[in-house]
Amino acid sequence: MNSLPNTQPNARKFPLVDYHYQTSMLNGSSAPCVQTSKSLRDITRDYFDAEANREFLSEAAVFTALIAMAIMPIVTGISAVLQLLTTSPLF
């Protein structure tokens, strides 16, 4: 907004604002338009198609290690219960 000059000596110190100010219009651009994806779903699909192939082997190895670490205490607990049952006088 353009401010108008203050012509009165005892007037307020704030400049008056011209509320009818209009900006100039920009001419059309000569740059080519950028082709955008259709949706966020297309963008994520393109990203994960390339990313998933690189990360799959490392994630599969980590998943296998976690499953093995989770199964080992369960198997040890089952074998301890079986050993307790075989040594108890109930059977």
Side-chain angles (χ1 to χ4, degrees):
M1 290 189 236
N2 286 341
S3 60
L4 300 175
N6 194 356
T7 57
Q8 297 176 353
N10 294 333
R12 293 184 298 173
K13 303 248 185 218
F14 296 108
L16 296 175
V17 179
D18 180 14
Y19 291 104
H20 300 290
Y21 176 77
Q22 294 182 358
T23 61
S24 61
M25 299 297 291
L26 297 175
N27 294 335
S29 175
S30 62
C33 294
V34 177
Q35 186 176 11
T36 59
S37 295
K38 295 177 185 172
S39 66
L40 182 61
R41 184 177 181 183
D42 292 337
I43 295 170
T44 55
R45 183 181 300 132
D46 293 341
Y47 174 75
F48 285 118
D49 282 346
E51 190 70 24
N53 294 334
R54 287 182 256 152
E55 299 286 328
F56 178 74
L57 290 177
S58 62
E59 289 178 0
V62 170
F63 179 75
T64 304
L66 288 173
I67 294 298
M69 286 189 283
I71 289 176
M72 287 173 51
I74 294 171
V75 171
T76 305
I78 291 173
S79 68
V81 168
L82 290 176
Q83 184 179 5
L84 177 67
L85 290 176
T86 56
T87 58
S88 67
L90 298 175
F91 296 106

